[in-house]
Amino acid sequence: MEEIKVNEKELTVKEIFRTGWELTKRYWKSEEKIVAWLLLVAILAMNLFMVYLNVQFTHWNNDFFSLMQEGQYDRFFNLIGKFAIMAFIFIIIAVYEFYIRQLLTIKWRTWMTKRYLDRWMSNQVYYRMKVIDSDLDNPDQRIATDIGNFISSVITYGIGLINKIVTLIAFITVLWNLSGVLNFSLFGKDIHMHGYMVYAALLYSIVGTICVTLFGKKLVRLNFIQEKVEADFRFTMIRVRENSESIAFYNGEKPEIGNFKGAFSYVIKNYRALMKQYLGLNYYTNGYMQLAVIFPMIMAAPQLFAGAMALGGFMEVTSAFGNVQDALSYIVNNFDGLSDLVATIQRLGGFIGHIEEVENLPKKFREVGSDEETVEFKNINEVLPGGKVILSDFNFSLKKGESVLIVGESGCGKSTLLRVLSGIWPYGEGEMKKPETWKTLFLPQRPYLPLGSLISAIYYPQEVPEEISPEITEMMERVGIDGLKDRLNDVDDWSRILSLGEQQRLQFLRIFLMKPDIIFLDESTSSLDEENEENAYKYLRERLPDAVIISVGHRKRLVEFHDRKITLLKGGVFEINK
């Protein structure tokens, strides 16, 4: 099987930190910053108090084991009671710290999701990304899943890091004082090492961090790829669900199953690579953690057996060492989750980068206001994504109430020209001059019907008013879908229920409800028979006699419903006929 390819550039360590910081800081400077900071301060305060309690638990260890060694039974239940009180307080603080952390997570995720949904949907970025042949995969998953994973990880590991820093500061002094002095000879010279347990913890943690980085350096890329292939596998199934009828007509189950198996094979292949990487990493981390239990005992044993340290002090120093070593080993203990976070940062950074790429595309097609009741197209150039110009210096104008039909051979750029004229094609060049108050509406060949009630599909993209126009029933009868008039409030997947012809007739109702001044029809009656097509155009002209209509179509009979015809020929040549 061929290598799994990822087109997006892999970020350097510096770029990962910069991207993570850019993704993080916006929320903390946003309109919600006061509430966010208050919640963060509360979480940090609770963490500081839990660190304080951990220090007290360490001192308690010293008192308790000294008591046990000296046989002071009269103090036993007092210390047990002290432990119970501290444990109860710790539990309450830990529970509410987790709750507030979740509250901060959901607030941050809500803000960030809304922000990037707005950016993705504004200025037709979602469409332009696809048109410019972006290498971005599954932008929906990056919003729906990666944002949540990023925020949860940043809060968890960010607060965890602060907690470990405070723990290190609190326990390193305790460990230094408890370590005493280690006396030994080296090359005939007597050495007296003060606070030697601190040096041991530092050496142990530094070596451990370097080794885990070497063991797990491939995890970031493999986690990034796993997110991609999992999303691709889901997308293949979504495609089948959305096109189930067409696949059923073709009896296309066999190739679709092949597609499923092919996509899933990449999931398994990469997962096996992850398994191998985790195998070595888990060997190392588990060994590291187990050795961390015995290592401080080995280091403190000389003091204990020399009589310089009591059993209680031995237990306290090993506990303090464990806390210092755990704080210094933060990367080792959390390398798996941190590698996931880095992969998520790369995916979100790629998503933001592609949005900015689309947002920064120069807009070479512009709309200009006019005082005349005319729409004029000047110096229109139709350019493909690769830069090839297929139509240039295209000029024509239409007065209020006039219409034009654009025809030509398949592949000569009719539909793309319509997208240029309507202003959605990112590579379009030229100018459209029209009155500023004039509204436009584009009807594609395959209508879009949102999930929901039938009446919401009819009014789309407008909101359904509280009082529905009584003309709806009359309009449904005129376009030939009066059989649906009793189902206006039914909620269903209407793109699945209605035939393409019914969908095309339904979208004509949108024209009558929106009353646009300029209407672009991209083979919008291709699935209608001649009688219904004629009825649709006649009814359109009857209800909106002053609208400018620009159509693309193949049927010769469409010429009857338009004032002019534009014929596109190969090589960028065109003819305008009246």
Side-chain angles (χ1 to χ4, degrees):
M1 186 182 295
E2 68 270 21
E3 181 183 357
I4 301 171
K5 295 181 180 180
V6 176
N7 294 323
E8 291 178 68
K9 183 187 74 170
E10 191 169 350
L11 301 180
T12 63
V13 174
K14 183 178 179 180
E15 289 172 332
I16 287 168
F17 277 103
R18 185 172 64 244
T19 302
W21 173 245
E22 287 296 321
L23 290 168
T24 302
K25 72 177 183 180
R26 291 186 176 96
Y27 177 64
W28 300 95
K29 294 181 179 180
S30 71
E31 66 281 359
E32 296 186 12
K33 61 184 177 183
I34 295 177
V35 174
W37 281 105
L38 287 174
L39 291 173
L40 181 61
V41 168
I43 294 169
L44 292 177
M46 290 179 174
N47 273 270
L48 290 175
F49 193 74
M50 286 191 287
V51 171
Y52 167 77
L53 288 175
N54 279 327
V55 173
Q56 299 309 309
F57 282 128
T58 301
H59 294 322
W60 182 90
N61 272 332
N62 189 345
D63 294 339
F64 185 78
F65 284 99
S66 295
L67 173 153
M68 297 291 289
Q69 184 180 32
E70 296 168 9
Q72 299 176 5
Y73 184 72
D74 57 321
R75 293 180 56 210
F76 179 80
F77 287 103
N78 287 335
L79 285 177
I80 292 296
K82 181 180 179 181
F83 179 86
I85 293 171
M86 290 192 301
F88 178 76
I89 295 172
F90 187 92
I91 291 169
I92 296 297
I93 297 297
V95 168
Y96 279 98
E97 187 271 346
F98 182 72
Y99 176 80
I100 295 175
R101 185 185 299 190
Q102 287 182 313
L103 183 60
L104 177 59
T105 300
I106 198 66
K107 284 183 173 293
W108 188 356
R109 182 178 179 181
T110 300
W111 179 89
M112 194 169 178
T113 300
K114 287 180 178 178
R115 176 183 176 86
Y116 288 111
L117 276 175
D118 288 343
R119 289 189 68 180
W120 188 46
M121 295 301 292
S122 64
N123 299 316
Q124 298 168 333
V125 167
Y126 61 94
Y127 167 72
R128 292 168 182 254
M129 270 187 179
K130 186 175 181 180
V131 171
I132 66 172
D133 196 25
S134 166
D135 58 5
L136 180 76
D137 63 89
N138 306 293
D140 51 308
Q141 187 202 32
R142 304 197 188 205
I143 294 175
T145 303
D146 290 342
I147 286 178
N149 291 343
F150 168 75
I151 292 169
S152 179
S153 297
V154 166
I155 291 177
T156 299
Y157 295 120
I159 291 173
L161 179 61
I162 294 172
N163 181 286
K164 295 307 178 185
I165 291 172
V166 174
T167 298
L168 179 63
I169 294 171
F171 279 96
I172 201 166
T173 303
V174 175
L175 184 61
W176 181 276
N177 293 330
L178 290 173
S179 298
V181 181
L182 179 66
N183 301 306
F184 62 96
S185 297
L186 184 66
F187 301 118
K189 184 177 181 181
D190 293 334
I191 297 176
H192 310 285
M193 182 178 289
H194 295 268
Y196 73 98
M197 292 290 285
V198 173
Y199 297 114
L202 283 170
L203 179 63
Y204 186 81
S205 302
I206 290 170
V207 172
T209 301
I210 293 172
C211 290
V212 79
T213 304
L214 296 175
F215 269 113
K217 63 182 179 179
K218 293 182 180 179
L219 273 179
V220 173
R221 180 166 178 79
L222 289 173
N223 279 317
F224 182 93
I225 295 174
Q226 192 66 25
E227 289 285 338
K228 170 183 165 52
V229 294
E230 293 277 8
D232 289 344
F233 178 51
R234 286 194 297 270
F235 183 69
T236 59
M237 291 182 283
I238 292 171
R239 288 274 296 169
V240 169
R241 188 184 67 190
E242 292 178 343
N243 299 278
S244 57
E245 184 177 72
S246 299
I247 294 169
F249 278 135
Y250 281 112
N251 292 319
E253 295 81 9
K254 185 175 181 179
E256 293 304 327
I257 290 175
N259 290 336
F260 293 158
K261 291 180 178 178
F264 187 64
S265 68
Y266 286 117
V267 173
I268 298 303
K269 177 186 178 184
N270 194 74
Y271 194 78
R272 287 186 181 278
L274 274 170
M275 287 170 58
K276 291 180 182 178
Q277 202 66 25
Y278 277 124
L279 183 65
L281 181 65
N282 286 333
Y283 265 124
Y284 175 78
T285 54
N286 280 285
Y288 179 87
M289 292 168 64
Q290 293 302 318
L291 183 59
V293 175
I294 199 72
F295 185 73
M297 296 181 183
I298 296 172
M299 297 302 297
Q303 295 286 76
L304 176 68
F305 291 113
M309 183 183 293
L311 178 61
F314 178 82
M315 298 304 297
E316 185 176 10
V317 77
T318 55
S319 176
F321 181 94
N323 280 280
V324 170
Q325 176 270 328
D326 183 62
L328 290 170
S329 302
Y330 187 70
I331 293 177
V332 177
N333 297 335
N334 297 281
F335 192 84
D336 182 13
L338 289 171
S339 66
D340 280 338
L341 174 58
V342 171
T344 301
I345 289 173
Q346 290 202 147
R347 287 179 61 80
L348 284 176
F351 177 60
I352 305 305
H354 283 82
I355 287 181
E356 291 174 349
E357 177 187 355
V358 173
E359 289 175 337
N360 294 330
L361 281 175
K363 193 172 178 64
K364 299 181 180 180
F365 182 88
R366 60 195 186 103
E367 295 184 8
V368 180
S370 171
D371 295 329
E372 299 180 6
E373 293 186 323
T374 301
V375 58
E376 183 178 4
F377 296 97
K378 300 175 64 176
N379 303 319
I380 301 298
N381 292 327
E382 185 181 349
V383 186
L384 297 180
K388 180 181 178 181
V389 179
I390 59 175
L391 185 67
S392 60
D393 297 326
F394 183 64
N395 299 274
F396 75 99
S397 62
L398 295 169
K399 296 179 181 178
K400 181 171 72 172
E402 289 188 336
S403 59
V404 64
L405 173 67
I406 301 175
V407 298
E409 298 179 17
S410 296
C412 64
K414 302 185 298 299
S415 294
T416 303
L417 174 60
L418 211 61
R419 284 155 177 75
V420 173
L421 300 180
S422 65
I424 68 170
W425 187 250
Y427 300 101
E429 299 176 354
E431 177 182 291
M432 177 171 65
K433 192 174 183 181
K434 67 177 182 62
E436 293 182 356
T437 57
W438 278 21
K439 298 182 296 183
T440 63
L441 178 64
F442 189 106
L443 263 61
Q445 181 179 9
R446 186 173 188 86
Y448 171 69
L449 303 184
L451 296 174
S453 64
L454 180 60
I455 190 64
S456 65
I458 290 172
Y459 269 93
Y460 185 85
Q462 304 176 99
E463 292 186 4
V464 180
E466 293 182 6
E467 294 186 10
I468 298 173
S469 172
E471 295 182 297
I472 288 287
T473 303
E474 176 195 339
M475 290 189 292
M476 293 177 75
E477 290 177 356
R478 284 295 303 271
V479 299
I481 55 172
D482 50 305
L484 299 171
K485 62 185 178 183
D486 294 328
R487 303 187 63 186
L488 290 176
N489 294 316
D490 289 2
V491 175
D492 215 322
D493 182 1
W494 293 104
S495 60
R496 176 182 59 84
I497 293 173
L498 302 181
S499 68
L500 187 54
E502 288 174 318
Q503 293 179 42
Q504 288 187 340
R505 280 177 276 174
L506 182 145
Q507 75 170 345
F508 266 79
L509 301 187
R510 296 174 181 170
I511 304 176
F512 308 142
L513 291 169
M514 291 185 65
K515 299 181 176 62
D517 301 282
I518 305 173
I519 305 166
F520 296 94
L521 303 174
D522 183 16
E523 300 192 55
S524 303
T525 58
S526 59
S527 294
L528 302 183
D529 55 65
E530 292 186 354
E531 182 180 348
N532 277 303
E533 184 176 60
E534 179 180 353
N535 178 54
Y537 269 98
K538 285 183 176 179
Y539 190 40
L540 172 57
R541 184 50 76 198
E542 177 185 323
R543 291 193 66 91
L544 300 175
D546 294 331
V548 172
I549 300 173
I550 304 173
S551 302
V552 163
H554 287 284
R555 293 177 180 168
K556 295 180 179 179
R557 202 164 168 226
L558 286 175
V559 177
E560 301 175 18
F561 313 128
H562 297 81
D563 302 310
R564 275 184 274 171
K565 181 178 73 171
I566 297 177
T567 304
L568 301 185
L569 305 172
K570 295 288 186 179
V573 181
F574 60 89
E575 296 176 353
I576 300 178
N577 308 106
K578 294 186 178 180

